[in-house]
Amino acid sequence: MENTSFAKETAAVNTEFLSLNPSTLEVIGEVENTSADEIDRKIKNAKIAQKQWSARSDAERKEILLKVAEALQQNSKHLAEWITREQGKPLSGPGSNFEMQACVGWTQVPASLDLPEEVVFEDDTRKDILYRKPIGVVAAIAPWNWPLMIAIWQIIPSLRMGNTVILKPSEYTTFSTLEMIKVINSVLPENVLQVVTGRGEVGSYLTGHPEIGKVMFTGSIATGKKVIEASAKNMARLTLECGGNDAGIILPGLDLSKHIENLFWGAFLNMGQTCACLKRLYVHENDYENVVKALSDYSANIPMGNGADENNVLGPIQNKMQFDKIQDLLNDAENNNADFLFKGQKPDQDGYFIPITLIGNVDNGSRIVDEEQFGPVLPIIKYKTLEDAVEKANDSENGLGASVWGDELEEAQKIAAQLEAGTVWINQHGAINPFVPFGGAKKSGYGVEFGVEGLKAVTIPKVISIKK
């Protein structure tokens, strides 16, 4: 395969990238770009291993993956500490230990599911049977926000259905991911799961490789478009999750005492660095002051700092690029006379810390509302009518998730049906489940993950038609 373009790209940038602890800014290590020749070699080995892996019985693959889940469970403390050190999320609360338990669960569930052959048509003259066959070699591009959990979402269903996987972790969270791959590969046969490392050019070369049959990607819209362009070279099937700018609508008169905890974590899970976090909150003008006070009071009691301290449940922004982006949006809001309704205490230490911030006197058309902030900042927008709230909630190029908060479930469901998103939650936000399909609308991507539908997404349908 021609490697000239890749060689030119790697020559134009530093071949190494420093991974930092975002709480202390200590250097964890240097991340090297995997060479084009090495990527070619890994793909060749993956193709060979895939024939052997897919030849195993369905029951055998399920049994091996359940052993992977056991290995992840046994090493969860070690891996959680790595997540906290490199990604930044705290060990406590819905942090690194939580992420590791999700890794175990999202391994067990695909291993427990079945995708049997299906007779799709039969009469006196013919019988048509639909089978699901593996695609081949899957390229998985994992992000830095949930580096181990989202990698598991990509790896395990692919392996379950007989594919092999080559994973490229984010350059920001490479070492924690490598630690997890060591654990998984202590169980798997050789070359069924491999890793390449480095910056975007490594992912670009991998996803455009002619021997890649499927790409699973989680990241930005801009990079998602590059993955789509790369797939023109190999016609790889795609599952793309390209972020969200999720809206939440609080129906008039909501009893906040029942919902404030879920509302807070819906917005600020992982410091807001979650694609399906609540990032725009629409509140009726008569309830605005009560909602602001309730969220401010709750936020004031949430400790932030180095995630290695188990007293903390909020941590830093993962990297300087994202830190600067959030600061830019905050500066823009301030320059355009937004109200800073609440601002938490910033830890007195090094690290990419931004305190919980609630912003008012903004509306659609403000950058802080229109752009996905991906951080601990929540704009709260007043509305007069529910029709107005729905229109504003839908006024976005994103459509990953949304939520409706209301005491009357029937009314909440009517509003939920009008929102343009892949998932709409009621009285919760971001409550994903390994049995329930998850995917986006609009520019938030296409394809679904999780459950039986997620297994189908990493297969090729094959029909055998029999004339009687």
Side-chain angles (χ1 to χ4, degrees):
M1 179 172 179
E2 179 57 55
N3 298 331
T4 305
S5 175
F6 182 78
K8 287 180 179 177
E9 288 181 29
T10 53
V13 299
N14 294 328
T15 57
E16 295 176 339
F17 179 89
L18 293 179
S19 176
L20 304 179
N21 181 327
S23 289
T24 65
L25 306 188
E26 69 162 322
V27 175
I28 293 172
E30 295 179 342
V31 180
E32 294 188 3
N33 278 330
T34 303
S35 70
D37 288 342
E38 181 68 3
I39 296 172
D40 290 345
R41 186 186 68 80
K42 287 176 181 283
I43 292 174
K44 181 179 179 180
N45 290 339
K47 284 190 69 180
I48 296 169
Q50 193 272 326
K51 300 297 184 185
Q52 300 164 342
W53 177 245
S54 63
R56 291 176 183 253
S57 70
D58 199 51
E60 197 175 358
R61 288 199 302 272
K62 291 171 74 171
E63 182 181 358
I64 291 171
L65 291 179
L66 287 174
K67 289 180 180 177
V68 168
E70 291 176 9
L72 290 170
Q73 182 66 67
Q74 290 166 1
N75 290 274
S76 61
K77 182 177 184 295
H78 168 70
L79 293 174
E81 289 170 351
W82 261 106
I83 295 169
T84 293
R85 183 182 176 195
E86 189 174 37
Q87 196 280 334
K89 62 170 64 72
L91 290 165
S92 301
S96 298
N97 286 311
F98 171 86
E99 179 165 355
M100 279 313 305
Q101 289 311 302
C103 288
V104 173
W106 258 274
T107 301
Q108 292 170 329
V109 169
S112 73
L113 296 174
D114 291 308
L115 193 53
E117 63 196 52
E118 178 185 357
V119 177
V120 292
F121 181 81
E122 185 173 16
D123 64 10
D124 294 337
T125 65
R126 64 185 287 165
K127 182 179 181 180
D128 297 88
I129 309 169
L130 174 64
Y131 298 86
R132 293 281 175 175
K133 298 297 182 181
I135 296 170
V137 182
V138 174
I141 310 297
W144 49 257
N145 57 333
W146 295 91
L148 274 58
M149 181 181 73
I150 293 180
I152 286 290
W153 293 356
Q154 299 169 336
I155 294 166
I156 300 301
S158 299
L159 298 185
R160 167 71 181 82
M161 299 312 298
N163 304 285
T164 51
V165 176
I166 297 179
L167 173 72
K168 184 209 167 290
S170 168
E171 59 267 39
Y172 293 105
T173 50
T174 296
F175 292 101
S176 54
T177 308
L178 290 175
E179 288 296 309
M180 182 179 74
I181 299 306
K182 287 180 190 176
V183 171
I184 296 174
N185 278 340
S186 70
V187 178
L188 291 177
E190 187 177 11
N191 294 327
V192 167
L193 172 62
Q194 300 175 83
V195 186
V196 298
T197 63
R199 300 194 193 217
E201 59 267 22
V202 174
S204 177
Y205 184 82
L206 175 65
T207 56
H209 197 285
E211 301 298 338
I212 293 296
K214 168 83 180 186
V215 178
M216 301 190 74
F217 168 80
T218 297
S220 68
I221 292 175
T223 306
K225 289 179 178 179
K226 292 179 181 178
V227 173
I228 294 170
E229 291 171 2
S231 72
K233 302 173 186 175
N234 54 18
M235 295 189 70
R237 289 152 175 81
L238 303 177
T239 296
L240 305 177
E241 197 266 81
C242 298
N245 192 11
D246 290 12
I249 297 175
I250 293 183
L251 301 186
L254 177 74
D255 182 357
L256 282 168
S257 64
K258 300 177 183 178
H259 304 292
I260 190 64
E261 183 177 7
N262 284 335
L263 190 63
F264 175 87
W265 288 113
F268 299 118
L269 178 70
N270 195 27
M271 291 297 290
Q273 297 169 115
T274 298
C275 296
C277 262
L278 171 57
K279 299 186 175 80
R280 299 175 287 146
L281 184 61
Y282 295 90
V283 179
H284 191 272
E285 57 189 9
N286 293 340
D287 298 322
Y288 183 80
E289 298 299 331
N290 288 338
V291 170
V292 169
K293 184 178 188 308
L295 272 173
S296 298
D297 290 348
Y298 193 90
S299 301
N301 294 311
I302 306 297
M304 174 188 292
N306 189 330
D309 180 345
E310 295 191 3
N311 292 314
N312 294 319
V313 293
L314 293 177
I317 302 304
Q318 200 284 319
N319 57 75
K320 189 174 188 302
M321 172 193 69
Q322 189 60 32
F323 178 86
D324 290 344
K325 176 183 175 182
I326 298 166
Q327 291 286 14
D328 179 54
L329 288 172
L330 289 170
N331 292 338
D332 180 81
E334 184 175 15
N335 292 338
N336 285 282
N337 302 314
D339 294 332
F340 283 67
L341 305 167
F342 173 84
K343 190 171 184 179
Q345 186 68 35
K346 182 178 180 179
D348 184 19
Q349 62 186 80
D350 291 335
Y352 299 128
F353 291 97
I354 294 178
I356 296 291
T357 306
L358 306 178
I359 294 183
N361 193 33
V362 290
D363 206 337
N364 288 45
S366 305
R367 284 185 62 203
I368 197 68
V369 176
D370 291 355
E371 298 179 26
E372 182 186 17
Q373 68 273 31
F374 216 68
V377 179
L378 181 65
I380 304 176
I381 303 115
K382 295 179 183 178
Y383 70 83
K384 292 182 180 294
T385 67
L386 283 171
E387 291 78 11
D388 179 43
V390 169
E391 182 179 355
K392 289 182 175 181
N394 287 337
D395 181 23
S396 173
E397 67 177 3
N398 297 99
L400 186 59
S403 59
V404 181
W405 303 76
D407 296 324
E408 298 294 332
L409 292 183
E410 186 175 340
E411 181 183 14
Q413 286 179 273
K414 289 179 181 177
I415 299 300
Q418 300 174 51
L419 295 179
E420 298 167 354
T423 302
V424 182
W425 294 279
I426 293 177
N427 294 334
Q428 55 186 353
H429 198 107
I432 54 176
N433 183 293
F435 289 97
V436 179
F438 177 70
K442 303 189 207 178
K443 291 184 180 179
S444 287
Y446 44 78
V448 297
E449 299 172 274
F450 312 163
V452 171
E453 294 302 315
L455 294 184
K456 290 178 181 178
V458 288
T459 65
I460 297 172
K462 179 178 181 178
V463 172
I464 294 180
S465 185
I466 304 165
K467 179 177 172 59
K468 292 184 177 180

